[in-house]
Amino acid sequence: MFFINKDRVDRDLEKINEANMTPEQLAKKREKEKAEKEKHAAAVEGWTWKDTVAMTIAIIQVVLPFMLVMAAVMALVFGFFVWMAHR
């Protein structure tokens, strides 16, 4: 609730900071942003299907134990109700 317009505030603060910069500082900032974009583009180009498979396996390793525990609890609850129904 408190962070509804946070991105708008951040953009406004960035505009204010840019307006208060000297031309040299602004040129350095633009150059740095351009270098970061190029670095990101190079990193994205290096992404292969092996990286996707590795990330999928990593997610499964994190999520699978929770899913198994949840399935076991559901089976126990279901078994309890079946046991109570036939008692």
Side-chain angles (χ1 to χ4, degrees):
M1 181 174 152
F2 297 111
F3 300 108
I4 292 173
N5 293 321
K6 185 180 182 311
D7 57 338
R8 194 172 108 204
V9 172
D10 289 340
R11 282 190 310 241
D12 291 344
L13 285 174
E14 186 66 29
K15 287 179 185 177
I16 292 169
N17 288 337
E18 285 181 5
N20 291 328
M21 287 183 179
T22 63
E24 295 84 20
Q25 290 174 332
L26 192 57
K28 285 181 183 179
K29 182 176 184 278
R30 300 270 188 229
E31 186 177 313
K32 184 179 177 183
E33 288 175 353
K34 184 178 177 184
E36 287 177 4
K37 285 182 182 179
E38 290 174 358
K39 183 180 176 184
H40 178 69
V44 170
E45 287 177 5
W47 191 268
T48 63
W49 67 271
K50 290 181 181 179
D51 296 323
T52 304
V53 171
M55 292 299 292
T56 304
I57 291 171
I59 290 170
I60 288 172
Q61 285 180 344
V62 170
V63 173
L64 187 63
F66 294 107
M67 290 175 53
L68 291 175
V69 168
M70 205 166 46
V73 168
M74 286 189 302
L76 286 172
V77 169
F78 180 76
F80 174 74
F81 285 121
V82 169
W83 177 74
M84 290 297 289
H86 291 293
R87 193 161 186 239

